[in-house]
């Protein structure tokens, strides 16, 4: 409540925030987490907590009156529909040159993501975080993150026979015929549960296409891992539907934090001011960067260094589909959780995940989310006339990603005698180059912060999320975000508490 004084305040309840809150609570520190999204613990009128992928409703999107689905069309027809404005789970946040998809709610991106839980190859790690000791990461913190998140690889024998992975086996066959290695991608999905879904002995979730708007059953989001452990400590309070708008030094020590309470229609119902001894920024790459850039520019935290807002990248995300021959159906039943990818990172700067197109009908299409080694980095700026934070990413900056993705798909198309699909992102459009699922950077480790996430100009302020990572992880990012947070919080608890 307003006027309260708390010891530790954590802004955001995604991976970085959950790691920090759990380890602090286990060390005996009381923690208050502030989350702008909903709790996602109560079923709606249909008895389900999360909306279905093919029937988006108000639960599906953050404060929009029309859906903004990543695949915006099918057979050339637009598929977006009107919905009620509501504090839904998936935010399609639009900047001038890119739409950034993010999870909103207690659990952050873990509520909406594909669960792909990938540790980067050690030889790529130096380029990702050059100031971090790789021995510590690969011996201690990556194993810790993987264990806590519940990461496992699909049973390879089941993969060969599962109806819901026919699309992935087609993807593997075509990759291998073009000479590319196909590798299994670990996931946090409960594979035993998926076997039961496929067998019809448990309610369907991944096998029913659930993903972008939440999984009602089998995915181990943070709700089932870190946040469950957090609840068991009894030391952490979580306030959903609360948004932090300001952090500034308090007159008698600590920080004054301004917080807005939101209604489910997105209106501000109350404004609260509290004091916190310590504040962890874990609002995600975009959330943390926007807050810090605003607070520096408007004089709340004027001494933040000039690296704030820099080093942002899209993890090289680019999407595309390919049309297959009629004798290569990808299946009407497709598990939403990708399980394998095509590795051409070393030669072509591209790693393509073989993704589902869970429409419920045969599409004769293969669909891919490719992660590429895109070199472009953008910067967040305060715009005094709109009083908003802008991002200077330009749409043409995706061109290197497209070229890298082509090193895989031009070759596969040549081998197979097939063509790209041009009906998934509009009319006559091949590349999904308008979006990212993987925002990274904006408060880069050892530049905007010290080597452990401390904002050194302001003792007691820390950054703990994907904004620490300079734009690219070479793989899907959440395992690296989790492992880095485990590393940083261990040092911070040992030295600062
Ligand atoms: P987040 O998880 O984004 O958490 C930040 C939280 O802070 C959010 O809950 C947000 O609502 C809250 N917040 C923001 N601003 C404020 C504020 N001012 N006040 C209060 N709260 C605030 N990654 C993978 O590794 N594998 C995948 O398969 C994968 N698939 C993805 C699919 C989709 C559709 C999306 C959107 C993302 C996917 N990702 C995937 C990316 C992954 O989810 C993110 O990298 C990860 O969640 C980032 O973690 P974080 O701790 O930095 O922040």
């Amino acid at each position: 409540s307003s006027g309260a004084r708390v010891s530790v305040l954590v802004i955001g309840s995604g991976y970085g925030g959950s790691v920090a809150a759990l380890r602090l609570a286990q060390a005996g520190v009381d923690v208050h987490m502030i989350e702008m999204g909903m709790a996602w613990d109560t079923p709606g009128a249909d008895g389900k907590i999360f909306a279905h992928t093919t029937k988006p409703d108000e639960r599906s999107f953050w404060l929009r009156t029309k859906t903004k689905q990543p695949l915006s069309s099918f057979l050339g027809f637009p598929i977006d529909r009107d919905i009620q404005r509501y504090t839904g789970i998936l935010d399609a946040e639009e900047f001038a040159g890119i739409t950034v998809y993010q999870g909103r709610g207690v659990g952050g991106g873990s509520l909406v993501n594909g669960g792909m839980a990938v540790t980067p190859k050690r030889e790529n790690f130096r380029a990702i975080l050059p100031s971090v000791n790789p021995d510590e990461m690969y011996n201690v913190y990556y194993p810790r993150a993987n264990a806590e998140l519940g990461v496992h690889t699909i049973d390879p024998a089941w993969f060969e026979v599962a109806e819901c992975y026919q699309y992935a086996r087609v993807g593997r066959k075509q990759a291998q015929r073009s000479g590319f290695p196909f590798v299994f991608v670990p996931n946090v999905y409960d594979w035993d549960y998926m076997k039961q879904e496929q067998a019809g002995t448990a309610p369907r979730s991944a096998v029913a296409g659930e993903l972008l708007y939440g999984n009602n059953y089998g995915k181990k989001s943070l709700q089932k891992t870190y946040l469950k452990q957090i609840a068991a400590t009894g030391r952490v309070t979580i306030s959903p539907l609360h948004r932090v708008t300001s952090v500034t030094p308090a007159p008698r020590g600590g920080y004054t934090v301004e917080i807005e309470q939101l209604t489910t229609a997105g209106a501000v119902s109350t404004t609260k001011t509290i004091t916190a001894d310590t504040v962890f920024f874990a609002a995600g790459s975009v959330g943390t960067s926007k807050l810090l850039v605003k607070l520096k520019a408007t004089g709340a935290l004027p001494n933040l260094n000039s690296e704030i807002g820099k080093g942002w990248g899209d993890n090289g995300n680019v999407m595309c589909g390919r049309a297959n021959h009629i004798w290569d159906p990808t299946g009407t039943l497709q598990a939403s959780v990708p399980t394998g990818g095509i590795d051409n990172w070393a030669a072509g700067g591209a790693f393509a995940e073989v993704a589902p197109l869970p429409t419920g009908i045969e599409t004769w299409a293969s669909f891919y989310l490719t992660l590429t080694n895109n070199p472009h980095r953008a910067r967040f700026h305060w715009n005094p006339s709109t009083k908003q934070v802008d991002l200077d990413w330009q749409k043409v900056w995706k061109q290197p990603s497209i070229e890298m993705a082509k090193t895989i798909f031009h070759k596969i198309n040549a081998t197979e005698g097939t063509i790209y699909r041009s009906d998934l992102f509009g009319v006559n459009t091949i590349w999904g180059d308008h979006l990212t699922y993987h925002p990274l950077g904006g408060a880069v480790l050892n530049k905007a912060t010290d080597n452990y996430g401390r904002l050194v100009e302001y003792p007691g302020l820390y950054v703990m999320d994907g904004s620490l990572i300079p734009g690219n992880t070479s793989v899907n990012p959440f395992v690296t975000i989790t492992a880095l947070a485990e590393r940083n919080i261990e040092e911070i608890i040992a030295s600062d508490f």
Side-chain angles (χ1 to χ4, degrees), residues 256-273:
T256 303
V257 183
E258 304 273 344
I259 303 170
E260 296 174 340
Q261 184 168 5
L262 304 177
T263 69
T264 55
V268 177
S269 60
T270 329
T271 305
K272 303 174 182 178
T273 304

Side-chain angles (χ1 to χ4, degrees), residues 178-231:
S178 284
F180 296 115
F182 177 92
V183 294
F184 283 123
V185 172
N187 205 290
V188 297
Y189 204 83
D190 181 338
W191 296 110
D192 289 332
Y193 189 84
M194 198 190 288
K195 286 180 180 173
Q196 294 170 44
E197 291 178 53
Q198 168 86 79
T201 56
R204 287 188 160 180
S205 182
V207 169
E210 288 183 350
L211 188 95
L212 276 182
Y213 313 132
N215 276 82
N216 283 298
Y217 304 100
K219 193 173 78 182
K220 287 172 281 175
S221 71
L222 289 170
Q223 292 182 322
K224 295 184 181 170
T225 58
Y226 278 92
L227 286 162
K228 197 170 169 194
Q229 289 198 61
I230 283 171

Side-chain angles (χ1 to χ4, degrees), residues 349-363:
F351 183 91
E353 269 134 17
V354 179
L357 211 51
T359 57
I361 57 168
E362 179 55 54
T363 60

Side-chain angles (χ1 to χ4, degrees), residues 66 213 241 246 477:
K66 189 170 192 180
Y213 313 132
L241 287 174
S246 180

